[in-house]
Amino acid sequence: MGDPGTTGRFGDFGGRYIPETLIPACAELDRAFRSAWVDPLFRAELDGLLTNYAGRPSLLYEAKRLSAAIGCTLLLKREDLNHTGSHKINNVLGQALLAQRMGKPRVIAETGAGQHGVASATAAALMGLECVVYMGEVDMERQALNVFRMRLLGAEVRPALSGSRTLKDAINEAMRDWVASVETSHYLLGSVMGPHPYPWMVRELHRVIGDEAREQCRALLGRDPDVVTACVGGGSNALGLFSGFAELPAVEMVGVEPDGGAAVGRGVPGIVHGSKSYLLQDEYGQVIEAQSISAGLDYPGIGPEHAHLDASGRARYEKVTDAEVLNAFAVLSRTEGIIPALEPAHALAWVLRAKEELAGKVVLLNLSGRGDKDVAQVAEILDRESDG
């Protein structure tokens, strides 16, 4: 999981498939990030914000009651305890600092579940940047609390009204805005996807998750985990975790997708949002809409480095159903007193299903977000099911 170079290729995947008007902007961003990433002043400022503002390092918690029930040692990387409630803050603080360094006074973001939107609005408020967040109309309805939080933080939230009115369509609108305002705006992309350098840059900004988890696991247990696992939509929290273990071949890496949006499990190579990766598409190459109980995973593609990790056999990808996710959401709440976001509940759903395979092993799961935003949605679903 190194530097993909100027082509931005991870094996057969990645690259830069964008309009000519955006080529200079991506080249400028590549140069700016490479320069900043080796600049001790930039790294010190970012590290200071991660420690004193975001609350890093996040805890590594041994879930003893759930471990006993499953028959393994389950460690939770508590990214849900970060400021704004998810791993997203790592990436946005870095990109917002970069926008300042490039002299861009405005940031554009897209969001599905609202976690990236809230984090972007937070970073923009902190640094005095104008912020516009695009969000699918359907997602705005099911994540109304996060819409309010973004507006409270000073961001303008614009609905995406086309297509399925979810994350894919919000990204389309954000990219259109970027094309029209590239001189003054930085596109603060929220996952490890898009044209180069975004997949590489976002992974590097989340690398802190895996580096911390590896050292914390060794300090706690005196060894590396047998398995590391995380949910995958675009895949930023998973790549952040995997980056700390990819060079340790004895550690198995497992990404978990929603059954209705399994880009690795059901997709074929294609071009989406500026890069080549696995993509849900029909026989004519048209994008098939993803379906997931989680707005943050409701996306028909996946980051290109995940496609490469699957093709090379270094990582394995599983898919779980919405029903399994709801069960995992309740299980963690009741056994450990931790209400997870629906996104990381996907990874836990796979752990619960695979408990015979995982018996006696050390499993490290990235708990990428907290469930406050999902409580009303889950309550509505459970009420409907009880009425039905």
Side-chain angles (χ1 to χ4, degrees):
M1 300 178 74
D3 184 339
T6 55
T7 65
R9 292 279 180 180
F10 304 95
D12 292 333
F13 302 97
R16 188 181 282 167
Y17 298 85
I18 49 178
E20 282 191 23
T21 50
L22 292 181
I23 293 289
C26 285
E28 176 194 20
L29 182 59
D30 190 19
R31 290 192 299 272
F33 180 66
R34 288 180 186 280
S35 171
W37 208 228
V38 296
D39 183 343
L41 293 177
F42 179 87
R43 295 296 291 267
E45 188 172 7
L46 177 57
D47 289 347
L49 287 173
L50 290 174
T51 300
N52 301 313
Y53 186 73
R56 302 207 71 87
S58 64
L59 299 176
L60 187 71
Y61 169 73
E62 183 177 356
K64 292 186 176 178
R65 292 193 68 218
L66 193 48
S67 294
I70 298 172
C72 68
T73 299
L74 179 62
L75 305 177
L76 302 177
K77 182 60 174 164
R78 297 292 308 276
E79 290 295 296
D80 59 315
L81 298 180
N82 293 338
H83 180 44
T84 72
S86 78
H87 72 292
K88 296 290 188 182
I89 193 73
N90 308 318
N91 172 43
V92 301
L93 289 175
Q95 287 201 49
L97 278 179
L98 204 56
Q100 278 190 327
R101 188 179 171 105
M102 292 189 295
K104 309 266 185 179
R106 178 176 184 263
V107 293
I108 306 158
E110 86 298 322
T111 194
Q115 290 174 319
H116 175 61
V118 169
S120 298
T122 298
L126 177 69
M127 300 182 198
L129 301 170
E130 180 185 352
C131 182
V132 175
V133 180
Y134 289 90
M135 191 170 189
E137 186 180 40
V138 170
D139 292 338
M140 289 181 69
E141 291 172 4
R142 56 182 174 175
Q143 295 294 340
L145 176 60
N146 274 340
V147 173
F148 177 74
R149 292 170 72 194
M150 285 182 267
R151 288 173 171 158
L152 190 63
L153 289 160
E156 179 186 353
V157 184
R158 295 182 182 175
L161 305 173
S162 60
S164 59
R165 295 172 292 147
T166 58
L167 179 58
K168 170 179 69 67
D169 311 293
I171 296 173
N172 290 340
E173 293 299 329
M175 295 196 84
R176 288 190 189 99
D177 187 326
W178 192 30
V179 169
S181 63
V182 68
E183 294 297 324
T184 57
S185 299
H186 169 66
Y187 181 14
L188 209 166
L189 209 155
S191 194
V192 285
M193 55 194 195
H196 177 69
Y198 280 105
W200 165 60
M201 178 177 70
V202 175
R203 180 250 283 167
E204 286 301 286
L205 291 170
H206 281 306
R207 177 180 286 275
V208 64
I209 302 171
D211 288 345
E212 278 180 13
R214 183 187 62 246
E215 299 310 315
Q216 290 170 319
C217 186
R218 289 176 179 176
L220 182 68
L221 301 177
R223 55 166 293 191
D224 294 319
D226 298 296
V227 179
V228 293
T229 185
C231 64
V232 176
S236 64
N237 90 93
L239 278 191
L241 179 66
F242 290 177
S243 60
F245 299 93
E247 305 306 319
L248 303 173
V251 180
E252 185 179 11
M253 304 192 302
V254 181
V256 184
E257 302 181 289
D259 187 56
V264 176
R266 303 181 193 280
V268 294
I271 307 295
V272 65
H273 295 139
S275 66
K276 180 181 178 183
S277 188
Y278 290 138
L279 171 67
L280 295 175
Q281 50 190 317
D282 64 18
E283 59 188 297
Y284 305 106
Q286 298 297 311
V287 176
I288 298 173
E289 304 293 353
Q291 187 285 319
S292 171
I293 192 173
S294 166
L297 304 183
D298 206 348
Y299 182 66
I302 190 171
E305 194 166 12
H306 281 293
H308 172 60
L309 290 172
D310 174 72
S312 66
R314 179 61 188 94
R316 160 187 165 195
Y317 293 83
E318 299 282 346
K319 51 184 181 291
V320 295
T321 66
D322 287 352
E324 289 178 298
V325 172
L326 282 173
N327 176 60
F329 183 89
V331 166
L332 187 63
S333 301
R334 291 170 185 169
T335 56
E336 298 292 340
I338 299 171
I339 301 175
L342 286 171
E343 288 86 354
H346 283 66
L348 182 61
W350 171 73
V351 170
L352 295 175
R353 186 210 296 164
K355 64 180 184 180
E356 291 185 8
E357 173 191 341
L358 301 175
K361 295 183 176 179
V362 175
V363 180
L364 197 161
L365 185 154
N366 196 25
L367 197 66
S368 58
R370 66 177 177 235
D372 309 34
K373 66 181 181 57
D374 296 319
V375 169
Q377 181 192 352
V378 171
E380 183 181 338
I381 293 170
L382 296 179
D383 283 347
R384 270 204 313 268
E385 290 179 350
S386 63
D387 290 343

